[in-house]
Amino acid sequence: MNFSRIPVGTKLYVLGPWPHEGLYVGPQGDGGEDVHHADRVRGVVRLSRFEDFAGGWRVEVEGPATGEEGEARAQRGMEHADAHDRRETVSRS
């Protein structure tokens, strides 16, 4: 898939047997992870590669109205993930 055509901040909806949604945040992780989403199996918020997030199922997209809105969505999503990671680390000790 040509990810240069997906604007940052695009909402993604996987249309598989277990529908779920995520947010395209652009390449953020060391392994090219680019989708922020809730992992229901593990009960955590995570950053995954688009291919892993979609799992081979069809994905509908809802793009942001403007580039600024998209960047703001992505920033909020990543801040939420960072805050969640800090809580998890503290709770393990």
Side-chain angles (χ1 to χ4, degrees):
M1 178 168 209
N2 182 358
F3 296 108
S4 65
R5 297 184 55 174
I6 299 177
V8 168
T10 296
K11 293 180 182 179
L12 306 169
Y13 303 94
V14 176
L15 305 176
W18 302 278
H20 56 286
E21 61 185 73
L23 184 69
Y24 183 77
V25 295
Q28 299 286 325
D30 295 335
E33 297 90 351
D34 52 6
V35 176
H36 174 263
H37 65 101
D39 183 331
R40 292 181 186 169
V41 174
R42 293 187 178 121
V44 297
V45 176
R46 40 185 321 199
L47 189 60
S48 299
R49 291 177 339 128
F50 179 88
E51 294 85 358
D52 298 330
F53 165 74
W57 297 99
R58 230 177 101 227
V59 177
E60 285 186 351
V61 298
E62 178 186 321
T66 65
E68 293 79 19
E69 177 189 353
E71 291 291 337
R73 280 183 188 176
Q75 182 65 35
R76 285 190 305 272
M78 293 306 296
E79 286 171 358
H80 177 74
D82 289 344
H84 189 274
D85 286 345
R86 284 192 296 276
R87 283 195 306 269
E88 255 193 351
T89 301
V90 170
S91 67
R92 287 187 200 142
S93 54

